[in-house]
Amino acid sequence: MINPVNNGEKTVKALSEMSLPELFDLRERLFMQRLKNSDLQKDASALGKIYRNDPFMSGQGTLKTYTEKDTQTYGNRQAEGTTGQLVKFGIGRTLNFTFVDYGNATTMTAKARIANKYPDFINTIDIPMMLNERRVLDGTHLLTFATVASHVDMDGVTVDDTVIDGLSLINASHTTALSGDTFTNVITGNPEFGKAGLLTAETVLRNNTVDGYNSLRSVSANLIITSTDPTVMYNVRQVTMSSTEVGQSNSNVINALQKYQHIALSKLDTDAKGARDTTKSKRWFLADSNLLEAVYCEFQPIANGKPQEDTLKGYAGVHDVTFPSFGAWVYKWITPAGIVGSTPA
């Protein structure tokens, strides 16, 4: 692009790096219009099947507190003439967290208003969409970074990814609250998705889903969570949607693995800044949606604020106007119960 403001030198600048005079001058400029992200609504809907909605209620503070409590699973013998043993009831660990404030703003100058550049302004900058994209990224990244205790986000802030036992969501050394036993939710061998890996995941989930006293809980896996990597998508469909057992030609054989719902997240294989990270494309999770303790806690829905007119900038009767948008929320995994994960190399 030839920039006449810069002596005709060829320059390529991102819109976010352009000064307001360049955006709002009287020259006709062609900007790459951001198309509506077709994955955004799909991802938002998918996250709604993983995270339970638990909003911050008005007048009830800004801190969420979750505390484990549990009772024994099995009853006890009672000897003749004695009173039955008291039931074991225990209070476990507590997890506290709060929400994060998000917000962006942009200013339309008085000169731009006079020059009728409002259409360029409104068609180029969509802050609520940006905040929606960030909200989806936040929820997805708790799975993206499920094997680490924390990660640094795009704003340079450290995000705590630990669950209630102080460990990463997917970890081989999780602890029970009341017995001190350990269990794993790492799929043995970290295989890529396939029939063998899926059955291994079922076994790990079945053998390691326990209560606070380390007694087995009933489990029924029904969610497969992956990236949208084409190979992974194909493999999931081949295994779970085939009308026959994989590898058989008998059309009368019913596939035994059609019980799952596939949750495909387009941003699962991204880095902290939302750029594609193919080293994460093959990771996947198996879960029982009835056991998941993962929450989305909203304090302030995404909304446009009241435009603020700066009477000290501009011309007589026409001033600069700033348009703010904001929201406040947090995603959090409370316990590692009901989910196992694989991170293939």
Side-chain angles (χ1 to χ4, degrees):
M1 177 176 71
I2 301 297
N3 183 357
V5 178
N6 193 25
N7 299 321
E9 295 178 8
K10 292 183 179 180
T11 59
V12 178
K13 303 176 73 174
L15 180 59
S16 61
E17 298 170 345
M18 299 188 74
S19 64
L20 284 175
E22 287 178 293
L23 180 58
F24 293 135
D25 64 22
L26 296 181
R27 294 180 177 87
E28 289 298 324
R29 298 183 183 276
L30 176 64
F31 292 106
M32 297 295 291
Q33 295 296 319
R34 288 183 60 86
L35 300 177
K36 298 298 183 182
N37 185 352
S38 60
D39 288 328
L40 178 60
Q41 188 59 42
K42 294 178 184 177
D43 284 350
S45 177
L47 290 175
K49 298 172 183 176
I50 299 173
Y51 294 95
R52 173 170 55 87
N53 193 32
D54 185 19
F56 287 86
M57 304 303 293
S58 177
Q60 295 186 10
T62 60
L63 192 69
K64 284 284 184 182
T65 299
Y66 288 85
T67 301
E68 294 173 309
K69 61 181 181 179
D70 217 337
T71 59
Q72 66 187 72
T73 297
Y74 304 107
N76 300 103
R77 289 175 178 265
Q78 180 179 350
E80 176 69 19
T82 66
T83 301
Q85 293 187 39
L86 293 177
V87 170
K88 287 192 296 184
F89 174 81
I91 298 295
R93 298 155 297 201
T94 294
L95 181 66
N96 298 310
F97 59 91
T98 188
F99 57 87
V100 179
D101 289 305
Y102 295 86
N104 291 90
T106 189
T107 298
M108 185 174 185
T109 63
K111 184 183 293 185
R113 296 175 66 190
I114 294 172
N116 194 31
K117 287 294 181 175
Y118 184 75
D120 288 342
F121 177 84
I122 209 68
N123 291 330
T124 304
I125 302 173
D126 187 346
I127 296 177
M129 180 65 70
M130 299 173 191
L131 293 176
N132 271 293
E133 293 273 14
R134 179 59 183 271
R135 182 166 57 183
V136 165
L137 191 69
D138 285 351
T140 304
H141 271 179
L142 291 189
L143 290 166
T144 301
F145 296 98
T147 59
V148 295
S150 65
H151 73 276
V152 178
D153 70 10
M154 65 177 63
D155 295 307
V157 177
T158 299
V159 178
D160 181 5
D161 297 317
T162 59
V163 294
I164 204 164
D165 63 4
L167 300 175
S168 58
L169 173 62
I170 302 300
N171 198 291
S173 303
H174 282 300
T175 57
T176 57
L178 303 170
S179 69
D181 293 290
T182 63
F183 63 94
T184 180
N185 63 349
V186 177
I187 300 173
T188 308
N190 287 301
E192 291 190 15
F193 184 87
K195 178 184 174 182
L198 180 57
L199 294 178
T200 298
E202 283 260 25
T203 302
V204 173
L205 188 64
R206 176 175 179 267
N207 293 342
N208 291 276
T209 302
V210 296
D211 63 18
Y213 292 100
N214 202 39
S215 295
L216 289 172
R217 300 177 65 183
S218 297
V219 61
S220 180
N222 61 347
L223 295 182
I224 295 171
I225 306 168
T226 73
S227 72
T228 53
D229 175 79
T231 301
V232 174
M233 296 286 286
Y234 178 84
N235 289 341
V236 173
R237 290 191 179 103
Q238 184 183 51
V239 171
T240 63
M241 300 178 69
S242 173
S243 61
T244 67
E245 173 68 15
V246 176
Q248 290 188 1
S249 60
N250 184 354
S251 60
N252 293 320
V253 177
I254 302 300
N255 182 5
L257 300 176
Q258 289 183 325
K259 63 179 182 177
Y260 305 102
Q261 182 175 7
H262 183 196
I263 305 295
L265 300 172
S266 68
K267 293 178 172 60
L268 180 65
D269 51 343
T270 59
D271 62 18
K273 296 183 178 180
R276 185 67 65 208
D277 181 356
T278 57
T279 65
K280 299 181 176 74
S281 294
K282 305 302 182 184
R283 61 184 52 194
W284 58 283
F285 306 85
L286 181 69
D288 180 344
S289 62
N290 296 312
L291 296 178
L292 295 183
E293 283 297 336
V295 293
Y296 167 67
C297 306
E298 185 176 270
F299 183 80
Q300 167 66 52
I302 295 172
N304 290 318
K306 182 179 179 180
Q308 300 296 314
E309 190 169 10
D310 189 343
T311 58
L312 299 179
K313 293 181 180 180
Y315 305 94
V318 183
H319 308 109
D320 290 3
V321 178
T322 298
F323 297 85
S325 298
F326 41 75
W329 62 81
V330 64
Y331 286 92
K332 191 68 178 176
W333 282 85
I334 310 302
T335 76
I339 187 170
V340 294
S342 177
T343 55

